[in-house]
Amino acid sequence: MDHPHRRFNRLSGEWVLVSPHRAERPWQGKVEAAAGEERPPHDAACYLCAGNERAGGQRNPPYTGTYVFANDFAALLPTPQIAAARGLDADGGHLLASQAVHGECRVICFSPRHDLTLARMPVGAIRGVVDTWIAESRSLGERHAWVQIFENKGAAMGCSNPHPHGQIWASDFIPNEGLKEDAAQRRWTETHDSVLLLDYAQLEASRGDRVVFGNADWVAVVPWWAVWPYEILLMPLRRHIATLADLTADERTTLAEILKSLLARYDNLFACDFPYSMGWHAAPATAGSQGWWQLHAHFYPPLLRSATIKKFMVGYEMLGESQRDITPEHAAERLRACSDIHHLDVAP
Ligand code: H2U
Ligand code: ZN
């Protein structure tokens, strides 16, 4: 498969153009010096550190594990603003369509340690993050149609603060990505009488060439249809699991373990603090969706060749469709070859 071809994304229903012959340009293997910024365990100027005042004026408690607070600059507001949105429907909703929305936005501090990232936290502390994701998705899921848990990491992804943290945006609507995946998974179950991402996880585990790492309950692959060079799809391997709340205690621990292993490999790939956006997709509360939805996490990292050379989604990608040079198989091979011991935790 080193000729140009397209691959179909079963989950989103979109195609990606793969041009592996372009990647035959010799790989420089260039490793930039890791951004040498040493961070203190507590930064008096950080609005996420324990005990500090936030931009909104409130003070964080002296938290010791994870800490969740309502985003002081929330993109979604809790009160429906129906009248205001109607005012936007200037032509009766034919061309200038709009929809009033409401929701809630929260910030999750993963740890009080300003100098850590998920990749360098102990498995027990990552398990604490998993438990927080579960508790938040459960409570917000009771009153919102969609709960989007995500982490933006690194300045390259527009993250405003290196303190380890993620976000949750819960809304009364299912956003575009969720709708595409809902339709594709539903169609698969209706035509195959099975669960799309469980079939897919088991197929990838049996083939192995796109697998980065797997354990008793989970498998992480550079998916067949990956768009970002080192994109990862993390899926349950053994059974149909619709939501985070459906995970057993063992599956929560093996999830923390695989997260640590994957994120250490990411940092080791270019010996840097690897930027990415990641997030969870799970069954919404709509009737029937638990039947076809399989819980999974996407990792979308922008880096292409080194700590400083990233892939831009421009030109053909904006106007035509996504394109990649190195194959998903090649990317998986590179990630498999990385140690899962973080480079900063290796004794000199
Ligand atoms: P990033 O994950 O993109 O860095 O965003 C951090 C969030 O933290 C951002 O959504 C919120 C911002 O609104 N925030 C607060 O809620 N309070 C603050 O004091 C600063 C940042
Ligand atoms: Zn901090």
Side-chain angles (χ1 to χ4, degrees), residues 127 130-131 134 217-218 239 244-256:
R127 168 70 202 264
V130 169
D131 290 341
I134 293 168
D217 302 311
W218 299 89
R239 62 186 193 99
L244 279 166
D246 296 324
L247 296 173
T248 64
D250 281 350
E251 287 163 345
R252 295 168 194 201
T253 299
T254 52
L255 172 57

Side-chain angles (χ1 to χ4, degrees), residues 105-162:
C105 298
R106 294 180 178 172
V107 179
I108 312 178
C109 298
F110 294 154
S111 160
R113 285 278 301 270
H114 185 81
D115 55 334
L116 292 185
T117 58
L118 273 180
R120 298 193 63 210
M121 283 164 54
V123 168
I126 300 174
R127 168 70 202 264
V129 173
V130 169
D131 290 341
T132 304
W133 284 335
I134 293 168
E136 292 296 319
S137 63
R138 202 199 298 260
S139 66
L140 287 166
E142 280 169 11
R143 54 179 191 278
H144 296 286
W146 186 260
V147 180
Q148 187 57 59
I149 294 174
F150 64 96
E151 178 191 6
N152 279 335
K153 176 170 173 275
M157 298 308 288
C159 177
S160 57
N161 185 326

